[in-house]
Amino acid sequence: MAKKIKIRASLKNDVTTVKAIMTHPMETGSRKDKESGELIPAHYIQAVIVSLNGEQVFNADWGTGVSKNPYLSIKIKGGAVGDNVALTWKDNLGESEAAETKIKAK
Amino acid sequence: MEITRRKAIKGASLAALALSSSGLMKAALANATAFDSTDYSESLELFLGDNELSAGDIKIKAPEVAANGATVPIEITSSIEDTQSISIFVENNPRPYIATFHINPRIEATVSLRVKMRETSNIVAIVKTDAGHFVAKQSVKVTAGGCV
């Protein structure tokens, strides 16, 4: 099964760049099914949280305007090789996914 | 009875939590309505409340022309001191309010993401700090719309 979140964290010049791609349809709720003509219900990530060694360092609120299979990149000040970076998302249907990775030197 | 007592304590602590977070709830609800708005001016008003906007040192990195409106890569960097959050609007989208990124002191005030654009439009970045709200805009041409 395809991984629901791909995440990488690389440390360079005292900045850890976190890049993640989340598998998610990000349906706006305004799209019609081509065959049935029915509206496809809105299904989109509403909240994203990033933690460093268990401590929350970032969070975001999203609407339906974020692209399908969302990409996100943020820069954490500092961080050390081997530190744990985790990302969690929650969507409007109550679904949730999480993934983590260790910081690598770039 | 023991079970009833446990339930009562849980109920009381939940109520206390609800009361203390009602400020957050109010803010979250206002935010939620801004997300649902289909009008740019309205979504901006819902988002800003009584706050005013000033021009600020915010860099928007986006393609001049986006070939695919379904996924337009943008990067917003705020050089304003004590940036608390970076919010994004796409002026001509069916739902203009796109996202808000909360900038904790542990992270740099820069975010990259991909947004949907229905048509040629301004990308609007709004930065919130203790000193107020700041704004920057950049136009992106869209040749194939990617929004429904």
Side-chain angles (χ1 to χ4, degrees):
Chain A
M1 192 176 107
K3 250 205 199 153
K4 286 226 146 186
I5 303 173
K6 277 194 210 150
I7 182 169
R8 265 184 312 171
S10 7
L11 174 65
K12 186 180 176 188
N13 296 335
D14 210 29
V15 173
T16 298
T17 302
V18 179
K19 292 185 187 178
I21 298 184
M22 297 151 244
T23 301
H24 201 284
M26 297 300 284
E27 288 292 352
T28 64
S30 307
R31 208 162 64 94
K32 284 203 181 123
D33 183 286
K34 284 190 179 139
E35 287 177 17
S36 67
E38 296 279 310
L39 275 180
I40 300 169
H43 186 200
Y44 60 99
I45 294 174
Q46 289 185 309
V48 180
I49 294 171
V50 176
S51 311
L52 174 68
N53 293 328
E55 191 195 322
Q56 182 174 319
V57 291
F58 168 83
N59 73 299
D61 308 311
W62 285 358
T64 57
V66 176
S67 295
K68 176 179 169 175
N69 296 333
Y71 166 78
L72 172 73
S73 177
I74 62 165
K75 292 182 193 287
I76 302 175
K77 292 174 186 169
V81 170
D83 275 356
N84 192 282
V85 173
L87 182 146
T88 308
W89 60 248
K90 291 182 189 146
D91 72 18
N92 67 315
L93 297 184
E95 291 169 18
S96 181
E97 281 291 334
E100 53 185 57
T101 188
K102 297 245 183 279
I103 298 179
K104 297 193 173 79
K106 190 158 188 192
Chain B
M1 281 201 64
E2 221 193 289
I3 298 170
T4 321
R5 210 171 123 259
R6 251 192 279 144
K7 266 195 183 164
I9 293 172
K10 195 177 179 193
S13 61
L14 275 174
L17 186 62
L19 278 171
S20 67
S21 60
S22 64
L24 280 169
M25 269 287 277
K26 237 185 172 176
L29 278 172
N31 228 19
T33 327
F35 275 125
D36 297 326
S37 173
T38 54
D39 175 77
Y40 173 62
S41 308
E42 185 194 61
S43 68
L44 202 55
E45 211 176 307
L46 284 167
F47 172 77
L48 284 173
D50 288 329
N51 297 298
E52 304 215 337
L53 280 176
S54 319
D57 192 358
I58 305 163
K59 194 155 66 182
I60 300 176
K61 202 167 149 194
E64 240 182 79
V65 179
N68 180 6
T71 170
V72 182
I74 64 174
E75 184 183 274
I76 317 284
T77 302
S78 165
S79 301
I80 304 169
E81 227 182 289
D82 300 322
T83 292
Q84 291 166 9
S85 67
I86 297 174
S87 302
I88 298 165
F89 292 74
V90 175
E91 226 171 296
N92 295 344
N93 268 11
R95 284 191 190 86
Y97 180 28
I98 306 298
T100 287
F101 298 86
H102 300 279
I103 309 293
N104 179 294
R106 292 279 338 240
I107 73 164
E108 301 208 347
T110 177
V111 288
S112 299
L113 77 157
R114 297 190 293 225
V115 299
K116 294 173 187 154
M117 289 186 71
R118 177 175 64 180
E119 58 188 59
T120 296
S121 168
N122 274 330
I123 304 272
V124 181
I126 295 180
V127 165
K128 177 178 178 220
T129 72
D130 270 340
H133 287 70
F134 300 89
V135 65
K137 296 186 187 187
Q138 182 155 313
S139 178
V140 174
K141 280 200 194 56
V142 176
T143 52
C147 224
V148 178

